[in-house]
Amino acid sequence: MNRFSLAISSGIARVTESALGPYQTAVIRIGFTATWLLFLLREFPHRQEMYGPDGPWDFGLAQQLIGTNGSFTALIWSSSHFWFETVYALAVLTSVLLLLGWRTRTMSVLFMIGVLSLQNRSIFMGDGGDNVLHLMCVYLVFTRCGQVWSLDERRARLERETRARGERVGPDRAGPALWSVLGFALVAVTAAGRLDGDLTVPVILWVVWLGTGLWWVVGRRARTAQPRILLDVIGNIVHNGALLVIMAEACLIYATAGWYKIQGSRWQDGTAVYYPLHLDYFSPWPALADLLSSSGTMVMLITYGTVVVQVAFPFTLFNRRVKNVLLAAMMTEHAVIAVVLGLPFFSLAMIAADAVFLPTPFLRRLGGWAARARGRLSRLLRRGDDRTTPPEPRTPEGPEPAHVGFTA
């Protein structure tokens, strides 16, 4: 067998035998759910004006637009305020549960429903960060994003430890109950014709629901290991394919943005960064914006540096060191945009998308730091509880004195 055949066989084995990038997909899960959750909490006082049935983009206008483009949103099913508040609350709840990594496959689907329902209800409220989140919430459904740093991983580890001790693992009741409830809701919604329109979301919902049920049945009823191995291989292929799409999407975003900037005259003469710094809408810190734009050399360097980094990044993926340097530069740039231009959610979404390229040793080290910090915090809390808890009364040692039980 020649080298080419060996390379092909080893590549196929690598793609099918394991779900690649467990730490990267965990960071993507945490990053995007945290971004969406913070956005929902910040806009909670303004939720009715943005997505409610009586907002400026009212229910009738939304209904006309959805009827034209066929996009999915659960908020078009009813114009009642109760239904809107229910969908908004479920979007918050599923974001929290997916952030913690509880039943990640199911929560990723519900997270996608929440994102699409709110964003498609009022599409004119979004920006670039919302577009990235809109795409990534769909891709996240196909990933095994709960392999590390999740409650699912903790539950699986405890089950393995229990089996290693020779003890019996109790049946999983939460999973089948959740699957049954969601299946009943999916059948009811489909029968009512609420999923008419674009077929992408309905197909995803049905495939994930049926696939989850098949996975559970095979895991409990299969007499041999071959069916489980086959499903595991299919899951790995789907996960790795989705991870590749996420990486390609991030590269496409930067390449498109960079090449479009090259065609602009303001980017060519090095003054493009100056103008957004002096827009009132994008100047939460006018003094800081004036400081950055006070030097023409600084403005020129930032302008040209932004174009160079965005255009060059996709070509640096084959050189790990150069890629890591440009990745750090892009994340720093987005952090500066969040502060200087007042676009925190756009920056958080882009940083979460960039995290797919972070090296695994760095993420493992980061997880170790977080674990040690959590351990120190728990020890400090226990120490504080020990100090605040009053000591128990001491019982006298030895026989009781003779006068105990008598009154003076």
Side-chain angles (χ1 to χ4, degrees):
M1 186 178 292
N2 55 29
R3 292 183 178 180
F4 180 75
S5 300
L6 287 174
I8 293 296
S9 60
S10 62
I12 293 175
R14 181 174 175 81
V15 170
T16 57
E17 289 178 355
S18 63
L20 304 176
Y23 293 93
Q24 287 79 2
T25 49
V27 172
I28 292 173
R29 184 197 85 232
I30 295 170
F32 281 111
T33 52
T35 301
W36 182 240
L37 178 61
L38 292 174
F39 174 79
L40 293 179
L41 295 178
R42 191 195 72 169
E43 300 299 340
F44 185 80
H46 314 291
R47 65 192 185 282
Q48 289 286 348
E49 291 80 3
M50 297 179 64
Y51 306 113
D54 298 331
W57 188 256
D58 60 18
F59 186 81
L61 293 173
Q63 202 169 26
Q64 294 179 26
L65 181 62
I66 298 302
T68 302
N69 59 25
S71 57
F72 172 84
T73 171
L75 291 178
I76 210 68
W77 298 349
S78 173
S79 60
S80 68
H81 288 275
F82 176 77
W83 176 245
F84 165 73
E85 297 292 351
T86 300
V87 173
Y88 201 94
L90 288 176
V92 173
L93 178 61
T94 54
S95 299
V96 173
L97 295 178
L98 185 58
L99 177 66
L100 298 176
W102 185 78
R103 308 288 173 176
T104 50
R105 181 70 67 185
T106 302
M107 289 303 120
S108 63
V109 175
L110 297 178
F111 175 75
M112 178 192 69
I113 292 175
V115 173
L116 298 182
S117 295
L118 291 170
Q119 289 191 354
N120 290 337
R121 166 63 178 80
S122 301
I123 60 174
F124 301 107
M125 301 300 300
D127 56 17
D130 294 323
N131 294 334
V132 175
L133 184 61
H134 192 103
L135 295 171
M136 294 301 177
C137 75
V138 179
Y139 303 151
L140 198 62
V141 173
F142 300 97
T143 63
R144 290 182 164 182
C145 55
Q147 296 180 92
V148 296
W149 300 341
S150 67
L151 295 178
D152 287 351
E153 185 270 337
R154 179 179 180 272
R155 185 178 65 253
R157 187 182 70 251
L158 293 177
E159 290 180 358
R160 290 194 301 270
E161 294 174 354
T162 302
R163 291 192 181 94
R165 293 193 300 267
E167 301 176 4
R168 182 176 178 273
V169 178
D172 179 20
R173 294 184 176 88
L178 187 62
W179 182 85
S180 301
V181 171
L182 295 178
F184 175 80
L186 182 58
V187 171
V189 169
T190 304
R194 300 297 187 180
L195 296 180
D196 295 342
D198 185 75
L199 294 178
T200 302
V201 174
V203 168
I204 291 175
L205 297 179
W206 276 105
V207 168
V208 172
W209 185 72
L210 293 174
T212 305
L214 179 62
W215 189 283
W216 187 87
V217 170
V218 169
R220 297 300 187 278
R221 305 299 182 185
R223 297 182 178 180
T224 61
Q226 281 77 10
R228 290 192 295 269
I229 295 174
L230 176 61
L231 290 180
D232 196 52
V233 168
I234 294 174
N236 291 336
I237 293 174
V238 172
H239 166 90
N240 295 330
L243 189 62
L244 178 62
V245 171
I246 292 174
M247 297 173 69
E249 188 72 40
C251 291
L252 184 62
I253 290 172
Y254 284 116
T256 304
W259 286 107
Y260 268 108
K261 286 182 175 65
I262 289 177
Q263 302 174 35
S265 59
R266 295 292 178 265
W267 291 96
Q268 293 175 5
D269 60 26
T271 62
V273 173
Y274 176 85
Y275 298 100
L277 293 175
H278 290 80
L279 294 175
D280 293 337
Y281 186 77
F282 295 107
S283 298
W285 312 101
L288 183 58
D290 292 338
L291 179 62
L292 289 176
S293 61
S294 60
S295 173
T297 304
M298 179 66 69
V299 171
M300 183 186 66
L301 290 176
I302 295 176
T303 302
Y304 288 153
T306 300
V307 175
V308 169
V309 168
Q310 291 183 348
V311 172
F313 178 74
F315 301 99
T316 63
L317 297 181
F318 302 100
N319 190 305
R320 184 176 302 177
R321 293 182 179 179
V322 178
K323 182 262 295 181
N324 292 338
V325 171
L326 292 187
L327 189 61
M330 288 191 303
M331 289 185 168
T332 303
E333 179 185 11
H334 287 305
V336 173
I337 290 174
V339 176
V340 178
L341 298 182
L343 296 172
F345 300 110
F346 166 76
S347 299
L348 286 175
M350 292 307 303
I351 291 174
D354 295 341
V356 72
F357 300 106
L358 289 173
T360 300
F362 170 76
L363 292 176
R364 287 179 176 174
R365 197 176 304 119
L366 189 64
W369 294 339
R372 287 192 292 270
R374 183 181 59 186
R376 294 192 189 99
L377 181 60
S378 61
R379 287 194 296 270
L380 289 175
L381 292 176
R382 287 197 301 267
R383 192 176 304 170
D385 292 339
D386 294 339
R387 292 176 179 175
T388 56
T389 304
E392 297 181 357
R394 297 180 59 185
T395 56
E397 299 179 359
E400 295 181 347
H403 65 273
V404 173
F406 294 91
T407 57

